[in-house]
Amino acid sequence: MKHQLNAYFILSGELPPESKEDLDEFFIQFSEKIQQSKKEGKFDIAWSIKKSELALKISSIDSISPHVAILRIRKQLAATIGKKYRVGLRGFKFKYYKITTEIDDQPIKEFTLPLTKKLTFSEKEGKNWVEIQIDPEISEDFVEKGTIERIVRRVSEKISKQKYGAKKEHHEIVFYSGEKELFTKENPTQLMQKANWIQRTNYRNQWILTPTLTTLSEALKQIMVDYIYKPLGFDQMMIPKLVDWSVWLKSEHAEGLYQGGFEPYFVVQPKEPTPEYFEEIADYITVTKTIPNDMLSEKVTAPIGGLSYAQCPPFWPWLQGRTLAKESLPIKVYDWSGPTYRYESGSAYGFERVDELHRIETLFIGTPEQTKKIGKDVRNKLRDVFEKALDLEFREARVLPWWLQQSAREDEEDLDELVVGTIDFEAYMPYRGSRKKSEWLEIQNISIIGQKYPKGFSVKAESNLELWSGCGGGSFERFLTAFISQKGLNPDDWPTEFKKYFDKLPTPVKFH
Ligand code: ATP
Ligand code: MG
Ligand code: ZN
């Protein structure tokens, strides 16, 4: 890798001429030290002073990056000139920073990156190169926190994404329930709509769950408690449903924002929460009976985060920065305290893909052994729910979702064993066609996530025990769509075990 940086330090005052020798000495020693530690590379610094600016030209080839050097210089030089000449360093600014590095492939389409002034791709001697010009306005803070390293890495990531597309999920069927008795071939959403069990609202992919559907959801809850949570010792909790950016930054969801796999609803705040500030808008609505969107958008902030997308990220601030006592491990909880929101783009969907869903999260934290064991137990109990209580025809598939690909890559060994990974439960939907050709519906998953969350949220365990986590999600909408699609609406056709969990279905409201 080749670097050229022209930058300058802003000094708190002018240095006297006699400081020249000290500076010469300082930079010679500084370069020599680097040259000694990186023998095969090349590293050069030239310096000059103009009033209260100390200009530097640093070039390096396969050696320490100049931006790393400048951070070290800042620290060491402050000590050298601060005491002797009472001149401080006020920080540095870049004038020009170019990084040249080899890449695997040429991009298919040119692209830009934040804080990057120019990207130039070339081919030389059968090799591919990129020249990255960093935006000189980049802040000291970003330089310190690894932004430049991530820009360089991002170039290769974008190229391989262009070339190979979004990575396909690995998908391997590892269990099949066998064929089950099916009572209908109708579309379950339409069946439930016709029976007035569910009602679409004015808003995209949002539904009203009538007492009939609610009774079935409550029955499912009791089944899950009896089959999974009671025997395995899980406790219910209520995880927040409004998620600010700090959480999605740590869980790394924010990095995948609308990149396929994380499509949250945003939440904004009023810029001023006062009657005066909103009076104009209130008056406008009063006289026109319409919402003035443009006026309104001026009075609210940028999103401060969004609505719960999957329950677990906002769970973690509970443990963030703490050290868990051994006796508290493993932690086993579940949450169904509120809806989950997802902007499901594309056409309107049925009840199986809603924007406001009622998701059940099962979450566990422990040592790697504890976590693997609980994951296995939960998986077996889920299988019981689908087989014994609902008599569903389903299969289990091993997958490696996008959000695990990153952490799995860092842990190649685990990838082989698929210790870190996901099992999807998928139900057959007869109305979609044959078992072989049709798309099955994912109704639940269970994942062993490894260290990702404990690391991301700085959670530790007593005596430095390694901490892992795992979690699973499923929605009542998916469970019931799958169930109705196989068993129909007539409770006479339903398994006795399920019917044990409700007395009588409320009679649907009729309309004239
Ligand atoms: P899909 O690929 O079908 O969109 P997903 O991979 O986005 O599913 P996860 O994020 O893994 O789903 O969430 C776990 C569970 O949440 C799913 O198994 C499913 O039961 C439920 N779920 C996800 N999205 C929806 C939705 N839009 N409507 C209803 N349930 C959903
Ligand atoms: Mg999805
Ligand atoms: Zn989760």
Side-chain angles (χ1 to χ4, degrees), residues 275-287 292 295 298-299:
E276 299 76 43
Y277 195 66
F278 282 95
E279 187 174 352
E280 190 192 358
I281 294 198
D283 289 343
Y284 187 95
I285 297 172
T286 308
V287 301
M295 260 159 91
E298 275 170 24
K299 292 195 183 273

Side-chain angles (χ1 to χ4, degrees), residues 187 189 193 200-207 344-355:
N187 176 325
T189 301
Q193 271 179 301
R200 204 184 262 286
T201 71
N202 280 332
Y203 185 65
R204 67 195 308 279
N205 302 314
Q206 188 196 43
W207 296 81
E344 296 284 0
S345 57
S347 54
Y349 296 103
F351 197 60
E352 79 290 348
R353 189 174 291 284
V354 295
D355 275 30

